[in-house]
Amino acid sequence: MPEILPIGGGKGGVGKSFISANLGALIAKRGKRVVLVDLDLGASNLHSFLGITPHRDGLNSFLNKKSNRLENVALPTDHANLYFISSVNCSIEIANLYHAQKLKLLTAIAKLPFDYVLLDLGAGTNFNTLDFFLTSNQGIIVCTPDPTSIENAFRFIKAAYLRSIKHVIKSNGFCETIKNAVIENEKPSMTASNIIDMVIRHDPAKEQFLRERISHIKFHFILNQFRKNSDPELGEKLKMVCNRHFYSCFEFLGNIRFEERVPSSIVSKKLFIREHPDAAAASDLYRIVGQLLQKLPGGKKRANQHEST
């Protein structure tokens, strides 16, 4: 089974694709087979950050059954151990996947024969995006230090959290009162605490089970485009607030400093860390990869093996 790393967030333009491409390349540089899957459905641009032209066969070929295995449409890049699955040539209606298509894709992603699968997601909180993010218990949320980005990141976290709770309740024999309240008659103001309180009142035997299931979810923060006047403690503050208000674990992976040369690397179709390996932002990306691999299950062992080679 691969280690799946969904990369999402509540706002567009915060650098999810930039981070997906460069993190994927840095993990691959450590000798691991990595595939990047462009799941920003309807607005794909991950190929631009990699400097490649997408092949006509990608997710479209898998979803329309031209290819019966998702790994068959994974294209090698010019970076060792790094592969890419594009969604550029999908139908313009791809953003509105049918439920059966989504399940087929989620199942196939979990079976991809790679060490790491990075999912570059679109912005927002539609159900498809949330379900792709919840494919793994190790999701990465990207935001910038701007107030609107932070606000949208919190909205994304709350939506993903509620979605995960609904999945647990729907699939694990909770009483009908809880199912009706949480799944069928959802209220906009409903929070995780509201649901826990309902479980305590109506299905107390399931309370500990629910807490344990949602405690397995880990959210990782990355602050991108970090400028000199930004609060240096912002990431740790976000982590502290989230750990106080949710039952899951939140980790801050680090800041990536603002870099004016990112747009030029995209125009020149060069991966940023290859084009500007000495940039401050490149140094931040290297450090974040090290932090991330240390925090993943089995990641510390992998990192130590790399350091000893």
Side-chain angles (χ1 to χ4, degrees), residues 59-89:
L59 280 182
N60 55 308
S61 296
F62 175 70
L63 292 174
N64 65 22
K65 301 181 182 179
K66 180 179 177 182
S67 176
N68 61 357
R69 298 176 70 88
L70 186 57
E71 59 264 32
N72 291 344
V73 299
L75 301 175
T77 70
D78 62 353
H79 309 282
N81 302 313
L82 184 64
Y83 295 77
F84 174 59
I85 297 176
S86 170
S87 61
V88 167
N89 294 312

Side-chain angles (χ1 to χ4, degrees), residues 189-201:
S189 60
M190 185 174 291
T191 66
S193 294
N194 294 152
I195 295 172
I196 295 289
D197 289 343
M198 279 193 289
V199 172
I200 292 172
R201 291 197 306 273

Side-chain angles (χ1 to χ4, degrees), residues 33-301:
R33 279 171 49 84
V34 179
V35 62
L36 298 167
V37 186
D38 193 341
L39 289 177
D40 189 351
L41 302 178
S44 306
N45 64 1
L46 184 57
H47 57 281
S48 299
F49 292 85
L50 294 165
I52 63 176
T53 301
H55 192 269
R56 65 180 179 275
D57 291 326
L59 280 182
N60 55 308
S61 296
F62 175 70
L63 292 174
N64 65 22
K65 301 181 182 179
K66 180 179 177 182
S67 176
N68 61 357
R69 298 176 70 88
L70 186 57
E71 59 264 32
N72 291 344
V73 299
L75 301 175
T77 70
D78 62 353
H79 309 282
N81 302 313
L82 184 64
Y83 295 77
F84 174 59
I85 297 176
S86 170
S87 61
V88 167
N89 294 312
C90 290
S91 161
I92 58 174
E93 298 177 347
I94 186 64
N96 302 307
L97 279 176
Y98 292 115
H99 182 68
Q101 289 178 308
K102 178 173 64 177
L103 291 181
K104 176 182 177 180
L105 191 49
L106 289 171
T107 301
I109 286 170
K111 295 179 179 178
L112 281 168
F114 292 85
D115 298 315
Y116 290 88
V117 177
L118 275 66
L119 309 179
D120 179 32
L121 306 182
T125 57
N126 67 73
F127 286 167
N128 285 337
T129 297
L130 294 176
D131 287 341
F132 288 135
F133 187 81
L134 294 169
T135 304
S136 164
N137 286 337
Q138 301 286 344
I140 298 172
I141 297 167
V142 178
C143 57
T144 67
D146 304 310
T148 55
S149 181
I150 298 296
E151 181 180 351
N152 285 328
F154 275 118
R155 187 174 293 116
F156 182 87
I157 290 166
K158 286 191 279 189
Y161 201 68
L162 282 174
R163 185 75 172 163
S164 67
I165 289 174
K166 289 179 188 177
H167 286 327
V168 173
I169 288 174
K170 186 176 181 179
S171 306
N172 290 280
F174 282 74
C175 73
E176 289 303 315
T177 300
I178 301 296
K179 286 184 178 180
N180 290 337
V182 174
I183 299 170
E184 297 179 11
N185 301 313
E186 177 186 357
K187 297 179 181 178
S189 60
M190 185 174 291
T191 66
S193 294
N194 294 152
I195 295 172
I196 295 289
D197 289 343
M198 279 193 289
V199 172
I200 292 172
R201 291 197 306 273
H202 301 289
D203 203 351
K206 289 283 190 178
E207 178 197 356
Q208 190 58 35
F209 172 80
L210 178 59
R211 288 180 185 269
E212 288 178 358
R213 286 292 299 272
I214 59 180
S215 71
H216 293 158
I217 303 172
K218 292 182 172 58
F219 294 88
H220 303 283
F221 279 117
I222 294 176
L223 280 174
N224 192 31
Q225 302 174 23
F226 202 80
R227 297 175 185 266
K228 291 181 179 179
N229 61 351
S230 301
D231 180 359
E233 300 299 321
L234 180 58
E236 290 298 329
K237 290 176 181 176
L238 291 174
K239 167 186 166 181
M240 182 177 65
V241 169
C242 289
N243 279 324
R244 183 186 303 153
H245 289 93
F246 295 93
Y247 297 97
S248 296
C249 177
F250 290 79
E251 296 281 356
F252 176 54
L253 293 175
N255 304 317
I256 299 176
R257 282 165 281 187
F258 176 78
E259 175 55 66
E260 293 180 346
R261 292 174 289 181
V262 169
S264 66
S265 70
I266 300 170
V267 171
S268 63
K269 295 187 176 181
K270 300 286 186 180
L271 186 69
F272 177 77
I273 55 165
R274 177 177 285 186
E275 184 79 344
H276 303 290
D278 298 324
S283 174
D284 295 335
L285 286 161
Y286 273 95
R287 176 174 41 78
I288 284 172
V289 164
Q291 288 263 6
L292 179 61
L293 296 183
Q294 288 283 336
K295 294 178 184 297
L296 294 175
K300 187 172 183 179
K301 180 179 179 181

